[in-house]
């Protein structure tokens, strides 16, 4: 299967990276055996495997040869390439795709290498890290664009800019979010911005079990804890493994939060509104229509920067629909299942509906707006099992 074809499959894909060290961190896994890891990556859901062949990462072209012998997964050669001779060597070593870094290449060279890669039957991942480079990638008509959250000159991470650039490129070509993905929520943030895949390396190689870590990053459903009003409850939910934290900013709700509380960048914050949303700085907005009667309706839009990215399906306010799960199972798109979920039934709900995320609030409380930390942990554990 071609590299581009593998990344174009439905759902969020992953390019799992092999490297022994990095210039910014030093040694990561110096004794790593590529023959073992690439097979583990492929078995754990990787769409493709990235192999660093540059000495700065303790890699060589021999690693690419070894990877090709160990797996049939598409291979991306990563390094600092600038000539046709580089690309020919990589192709002969088994690469299906090559990285072209716009920071280091002018447009004429990039265009020439794109054409030559195509002649060799290779795909090319054209990497940008800022607006100017993204515009260059557009002008070059690069079919696959990678947006790196890491500035290769300073090694600083700017995830917000990365996601904005991913959103700009999404829908027009294949888009890969590169670097700084350590949690499911960070991978999901790239997915919601429009990324077809994430490129993940350091977090895998730092894990005791890289394959299990890759599976975790791609696994669904995400787990949302909503109705949070206290920082200590937010902290307990994050510590327990919640991916999304919800804050209800609705006057009539018994779980009204004064503000969106602090959420680390390992998770996603969600501001919940009825009728009209306001700016809060939250990562996502959950917007219910105003039905003029009850506190909220049943269905809400999950929005990122005003774009509808998922749909939340809920039970009636203070009511129950016995066909709720059945209806939700037939819904299309990314579905966030809510309504009466807790430790006792969330696993059954997931099996029945297969949602993109699950959401619980009142069932995790000792009183309205106050979470029972033991129930929060139990719910998250059951949902992630």
């Amino acid at each position: 299967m071609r590299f581009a074809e593998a990344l174009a499959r439905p759902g969020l894909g992953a390019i799992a990276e092999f490297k022994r060290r990095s210039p910014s961190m030093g040694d990561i896994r110096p004794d790593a055996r590529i023959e073992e890891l690439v097979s583990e990556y492929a078995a754990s859901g990787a769409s493709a495997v990235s192999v660093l062949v540059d000495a700065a990462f303790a890699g060589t072209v021999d690693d690419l040869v070894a990877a090709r012998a160990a797996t049939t997964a598409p291979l991306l050669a990563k390094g600092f390439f600038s000539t046709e001779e580089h690309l020919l060597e990589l192709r002969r070593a088994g690469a299906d795709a090559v990285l072209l870094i716009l920071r280091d290449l002018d447009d004429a060279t990039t265009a020439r290498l794109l054409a030559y890669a195509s002649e060799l039957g290779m795909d090319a991942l054209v990497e940008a890290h800022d607006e100017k480079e993204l515009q260059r990638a557009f002008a070059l008509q690069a079919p696959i664009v990678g947006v790196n959250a890491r500035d290769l000159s300073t090694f600083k991470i700017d995830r917000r800019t990365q996601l904005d650039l991913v959103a700009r490129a999404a829908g027009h070509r294949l888009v890969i979010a590169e670097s700084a993905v350590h949690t499911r929520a960070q991978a999901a943030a790239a997915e919601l911005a429009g990324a077809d895949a994430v490129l993940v390396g350091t977090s895998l190689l730092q894990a005791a079990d890289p394959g299990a870590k890759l599976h975790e990053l791609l696994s669904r459903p995400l787990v949302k804890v909503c109705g949070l009003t206290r920082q200590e409850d937010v902290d307990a939910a994050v510590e327990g493994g919640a991916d999304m934290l919800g804050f209800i900013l609705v006057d009539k709700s018994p779980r009204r939060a004064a503000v969106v509380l602090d959420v680390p960048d390992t998770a996603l914050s969600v501001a919940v509104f009825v009728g009209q949303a306001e700016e809060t700085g939250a990562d996502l907005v959950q917007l219910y229509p105003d039905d003029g009667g009850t506190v909220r309706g049943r269905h809400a839009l999950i929005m990122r920067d005003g774009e509808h990215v998922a749909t939340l399906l809920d039970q009636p306010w203070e009511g129950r629909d016995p066909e709720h799960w059945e209806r939700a199972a037939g819904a299309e798109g990314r579905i966030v299942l809510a309504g009466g979920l807790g430790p006792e039934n969330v696993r059954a709900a997931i099996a029945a509906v297969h949602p993109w995320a699950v959401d619980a609030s009142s069932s995790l409380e000792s009183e309205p707006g106050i979470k029972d930390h033991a129930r929060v942990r139990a719910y998250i554990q059951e949902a992630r099992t």
Side-chain angles (χ1 to χ4, degrees):
M1 180 181 294
R2 287 285 295 253
F3 178 76
E5 184 182 356
L7 298 178
R9 289 182 295 186
L12 181 68
I15 304 171
E17 187 159 275
F18 177 87
K19 58 186 176 185
R20 298 179 181 89
R21 73 182 312 275
S22 78
S24 61
M25 298 184 64
D27 286 343
I28 302 172
R29 205 180 186 110
D31 59 347
R33 290 178 53 81
I34 193 165
E35 300 89 344
E36 297 173 357
L37 275 182
V38 296
S39 297
E40 190 174 346
Y41 287 162
S44 300
S47 304
V49 175
S50 167
V51 180
L52 263 299
V53 301
D54 191 271
F57 297 85
T60 71
V61 173
D62 289 341
D63 289 324
L64 193 59
V65 175
R68 181 74 294 156
T71 184
T72 59
L75 297 180
L76 169 69
K78 276 192 69 177
F80 303 93
F81 313 123
S82 59
T83 69
E84 286 84 351
E85 288 77 16
H86 288 151
L87 270 59
L88 181 58
E89 179 185 24
L90 298 169
R91 184 56 166 162
R92 287 173 172 169
D96 301 286
V98 62
L99 178 71
L100 301 177
I101 302 174
L102 288 177
R103 184 200 65 163
D104 298 329
L105 301 172
D106 60 33
D107 289 350
T109 302
T110 306
R112 192 177 71 246
L113 294 179
L114 279 168
Y116 189 61
S118 181
E119 287 181 29
L120 294 174
M122 301 171 73
D123 292 312
L125 173 59
V126 176
E127 179 179 292
H129 87 281
D130 61 21
E131 175 67 26
K132 182 178 179 180
E133 291 177 358
L134 184 65
Q135 291 301 322
R136 290 174 58 200
F138 290 167
L140 288 160
Q141 298 184 332
I144 311 174
V145 174
V147 182
N148 201 335
R150 188 185 306 278
D151 185 324
L152 296 180
S153 299
T154 65
F155 301 126
K156 291 183 178 179
I157 295 293
D158 186 344
R159 199 185 311 277
R160 179 72 247 184
T161 295
Q162 178 199 39
L163 296 179
D164 288 345
L165 295 177
V166 164
R168 291 278 310 280
H172 303 289
R173 53 195 41 79
L174 287 171
V175 184
I176 315 303
E178 303 177 42
S179 297
V181 174
H182 296 273
T183 69
R184 295 202 310 174
Q186 290 169 343
E191 177 186 1
L192 295 178
D196 296 285
V198 290
L199 192 152
V200 189
T202 300
S203 64
L204 303 183
L205 292 156
Q206 288 179 325
D209 186 336
K213 179 65 175 179
L214 175 62
H215 179 75
E216 174 195 332
L217 292 175
L218 297 175
S219 64
R220 299 292 183 269
L222 300 182
V223 183
K224 178 169 175 274
V225 175
C226 200
L228 293 157
T229 64
R230 306 187 304 169
Q231 189 65 49
E232 62 198 84
D233 295 344
V234 174
D235 297 343
V238 171
E239 183 179 354
D243 305 295
M244 306 165 73
L245 294 307
F247 304 92
I248 301 173
L249 305 175
V250 179
D251 287 339
K252 291 191 291 184
S253 172
R255 297 165 189 89
R256 183 186 185 280
V259 295
V260 173
L261 298 171
D262 290 337
V263 173
D265 69 359
T266 55
L268 296 172
S269 57
V270 184
V272 182
F273 293 97
V274 172
Q276 185 172 349
E278 300 174 6
E279 179 55 48
T280 64
D283 296 303
L284 301 170
V285 167
Q286 179 175 318
L287 182 62
Y288 289 93
D290 186 353
D291 64 6
T294 60
V295 171
R296 58 158 176 80
R298 292 192 59 180
H299 301 166
L301 301 180
I302 305 296
M303 307 178 75
R304 180 194 179 275
D305 288 350
E307 295 292 326
H308 175 204
V309 294
T311 302
L312 183 136
L313 304 180
D314 212 331
Q315 290 276 14
W317 177 256
E318 296 183 336
R320 184 176 181 275
D321 175 2
E323 298 181 352
H324 178 49
W325 289 4
E326 182 179 351
R327 296 179 197 276
E332 297 183 353
R334 296 188 191 99
I335 297 302
V336 181
L337 182 68
L341 299 182
E344 300 82 6
N345 65 355
V346 68
R347 198 182 298 188
I350 291 168
V353 178
H354 302 289
W356 181 79
V358 290
D359 184 351
S361 180
S362 60
S363 71
L364 308 180
E365 295 175 336
S366 56
E367 59 182 275
I370 307 299
K371 297 304 184 202
D372 179 323
H373 292 184
R375 286 189 62 77
V376 168
R377 286 191 295 270
Y379 156 71
I380 295 169
Q381 181 177 357
E382 288 293 314
R384 295 191 66 155
T385 297

